[in-house]
Amino acid sequence: FCNFPACGINTPAGPVRLLPSEHVKRCKVIWECVTIIIKTARRPMLVVRLARSLRNVKGYDLSIIAVDDGIGAYDDEIMKELRNFTNLRYIIGDKEDLGISFGRNLALKEVKTKYFLLLDDDTIVTDDTDIEKMVDILDTTDATLVGGKFKGNKHFCRLSYFSP
């Protein structure tokens, strides 16, 4: 039993339920529905690696908003790599070490899509990454959050989902 006032905040919500079909508004084109947000610190090549893995594995690009809190300019070669991804918005902060929460919140303010996918800069997309399943769950159930699961200590992600 918890006597602390904050214990009442996280009350069980019950199982995830399917939405009635008349309430389902499916995402038709994944890249119009999902934005990836990333907070990084002077590691633009990892952001490029993530964007490249998405393109190579999934065959499409998603909007990506990356906030970098490393002050200073990058060399032309790195900037050219970033520009290869037209849906990638790379924001370099004007202060060093903004903090992960502040940087992620900056990225969230820029999201224009229905959903966002929060990833670390050292994540890559693999064949197991199922963004479409995540969107399907969010579109067809009353779930408001879908979590991911990393395999071992490797840099790849497989999105898991609730069983309604």
Side-chain angles (χ1 to χ4, degrees):
F1 181 71
C2 178
N3 290 327
F4 189 68
C7 293
I9 293 172
N10 293 322
T11 56
V16 174
R17 294 181 307 268
L18 287 172
L19 293 174
S21 58
E22 64 270 11
H23 292 215
V24 172
K25 295 178 181 145
R26 287 192 182 272
C27 172
K28 291 181 175 54
V29 183
I30 193 84
W31 50 87
E32 293 178 356
C33 299
V34 179
T35 298
I36 294 174
I37 64 169
I38 304 164
K39 161 64 179 65
T40 188
R42 303 217 45 88
R43 301 192 324 170
M45 292 311 292
L46 289 180
V47 175
V48 168
R49 183 181 74 169
L50 189 157
R52 188 176 294 130
S53 71
L54 175 69
R55 181 181 284 171
N56 291 343
V57 172
K58 294 293 188 179
Y60 56 76
D61 291 340
L62 293 176
S63 292
I64 299 174
I65 301 169
V67 174
D68 186 339
D69 63 4
I71 56 174
Y74 291 112
D75 64 39
D76 290 339
E77 182 179 326
I78 291 173
M79 297 310 289
K80 182 180 176 185
E81 285 281 336
L82 291 168
R83 283 191 298 273
N84 282 333
F85 298 92
T86 57
N87 290 348
L88 169 59
R89 180 154 181 230
Y90 199 86
I91 303 166
I92 300 173
D94 56 356
K95 293 182 181 157
E96 193 168 17
D97 194 22
L98 298 169
I100 194 159
S101 297
F102 188 81
R104 286 177 173 168
N105 284 331
L106 283 176
L108 276 172
K109 288 178 184 179
E110 301 297 319
V111 172
K112 306 275 190 269
T113 55
K114 185 176 181 181
Y115 303 119
F116 69 92
L117 178 58
L118 174 65
L119 296 176
D120 290 331
D121 61 1
D122 59 353
T123 303
I124 60 171
V125 174
T126 70
D127 290 330
D128 291 328
T129 308
D130 200 344
I131 300 169
E132 294 81 2
K133 176 57 99 175
M134 176 191 75
V135 169
D136 185 57
I137 291 165
L138 292 170
D139 278 349
T140 61
T141 70
D142 64 353
T144 56
L145 176 70
V146 178
K149 177 171 113 177
F150 286 92
K151 287 185 171 182
N153 292 326
K154 297 182 181 175
H155 303 295
F156 50 112
C157 174
R158 186 176 106 205
L159 294 169
S160 44
Y161 56 96
F162 303 104
S163 297

